[in-house]
Amino acid sequence: MKKGIHPENYRMVAFKDMSNGDVFLTRSTANTKETLDVDGVEYPLVKLEISRTSHPFYTGKSKLVDTAGRIDKFKNKYSKFKK
């Protein structure tokens, strides 16, 4: 590896999947102002919307979220084009 092109401030960081509450620790340089206590040790916290524990590709489960009847609105809007 080339010298001087990689960050030097790697530290343990807690990443939390907000959709299912899963927390995992890894080394990172991500900046954050929040912290999380894991097993009595305080780590910087990075919040994720989705991770390997909740993504349908990795879990094999597909979720259909119908907020405010989006599917019904779509069907009603384009029902006039049916043959």
Side-chain angles (χ1 to χ4, degrees):
M1 289 194 306
K2 290 185 179 180
K3 300 279 184 200
I5 64 169
H6 298 285
E8 298 292 328
N9 60 338
Y10 283 100
R11 67 202 187 290
M12 292 302 288
V13 176
F15 287 85
K16 182 174 183 179
D17 185 337
M18 300 308 290
S19 64
N20 64 5
D22 185 47
V23 176
F24 60 94
L25 298 172
T26 188
R27 291 176 39 133
S28 177
T29 61
N31 292 327
T32 181
K33 293 181 176 148
E34 298 181 67
T35 60
L36 179 70
D37 186 54
V38 178
D39 297 329
V41 180
E42 194 169 289
Y43 295 103
L45 173 65
V46 175
K47 294 180 179 178
L48 304 171
E49 292 297 320
I50 195 163
S51 70
R52 61 182 169 75
T53 60
S54 62
H55 193 282
F57 178 79
Y58 297 106
T59 61
K61 298 176 184 173
S62 180
K63 292 182 185 177
L64 177 62
V65 179
D66 183 21
T67 57
R70 292 186 330 199
I71 294 172
D72 292 331
K73 287 180 188 177
F74 177 84
K75 287 180 180 178
N76 290 336
K77 183 177 180 179
Y78 291 102
S79 65
K80 61 184 171 189
F81 296 110
K82 277 187 175 181
K83 289 185 178 182

